[in-house]
C-alpha cells in the first residue's frame, strides 16, 4: 500500500522585489543603485543602526530618520536589500528595501517580541 504524501504549499515571497540592483559605500553612508531611471529621492543609508537615514528630495529638503531603541548592528547588502541583523532590542532584524521613491522597512523576529510595537 502506497501512502499519499501531503502537498506542501507553494513558496511565496514575503518581500517585494527590490528596485536596487547594487549598493556602494561612500565612506559615510550606503547608497543604492537603480538600473533604470533616476530615483525620486536621494537616500543615504547608515553604515550601522547607530546612524541616521537621510532622504534628500529633489527640492533640496533633507529629512533624517533614526531607528529608536536599536542595538548596534552593521549594514549588510544582499540581493537589493540592506539587512541590519539583530538591529532591534527585542531581538529582531531590520530589512530595508530601497525603492525609486525612498524605502520600505521590514522587521523580522525569530520569536514573538514582548510588545506589539516597533
Amino acid at each position: 500500500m502506497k501512502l499519499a504524501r501531503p502537498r506542501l504549499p507553494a513558496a511565496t515571497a514575503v518581500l517585494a522585489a527590490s528596485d536596487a540592483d547594487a549598493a556602494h559605500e561612500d565612506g559615510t553612508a550606503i547608497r543604492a543603485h537603480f538600473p533604470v531611471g533616476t530615483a525620486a529621492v536621494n537616500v543615504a543609508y547608515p553604515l550601522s543602526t547607530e546612524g541616521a537615514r537621510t532622504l534628500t528630495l529633489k527640492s533640496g529638503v533633507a529629512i533624517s530618520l533614526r531607528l529608536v531603541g536599536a542595538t548596534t548592528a552593521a549594514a549588510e547588502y544582499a540581493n537589493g536589500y540592506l539587512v541590519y541583523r539583530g538591529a532591534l532590542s527585542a531581538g529582531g532584524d531590520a530589512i530595508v528595501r530601497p525603492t525609486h521613491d525612498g524605502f520600505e522597512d521590514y522587521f523580522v523576529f525569530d520569536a514573538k517580541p514582548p510588545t506589539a510595537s516597533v
Side-chain angles (χ1 to χ4, degrees), residues 8-69:
L8 297 175
T12 304
V14 177
L15 304 178
S18 177
D19 292 346
D21 66 350
H24 70 277
E25 182 181 329
D26 66 8
T28 60
I30 298 170
R31 300 190 187 275
H33 176 267
F34 300 101
V36 178
T38 58
V41 295
N42 180 0
V43 182
Y45 301 95
L47 301 175
S48 75
T49 51
E50 295 172 315
R53 214 176 306 187
T54 303
L55 288 84
T56 305
L57 306 175
K58 289 193 185 264
S59 66
V61 173
I63 302 166
S64 290
L65 306 166
R66 189 179 302 270
L67 188 59
V68 176

Side-chain angles (χ1 to χ4, degrees), residues 13-21 34 79-81 97-100 104 106:
V14 177
L15 304 178
S18 177
D19 292 346
D21 66 350
F34 300 101
N79 297 327
Y81 302 92
R97 178 183 168 262
T99 69
H100 281 87
E104 294 178 353
Y106 297 90

Side-chain angles (χ1 to χ4, degrees), residues 49 67-72 86-93 109 113-115 117-118:
T49 51
L67 188 59
V68 176
T71 64
T72 301
L88 305 173
S89 56
D93 301 333
F109 297 90
T115 60
S117 64
V118 177

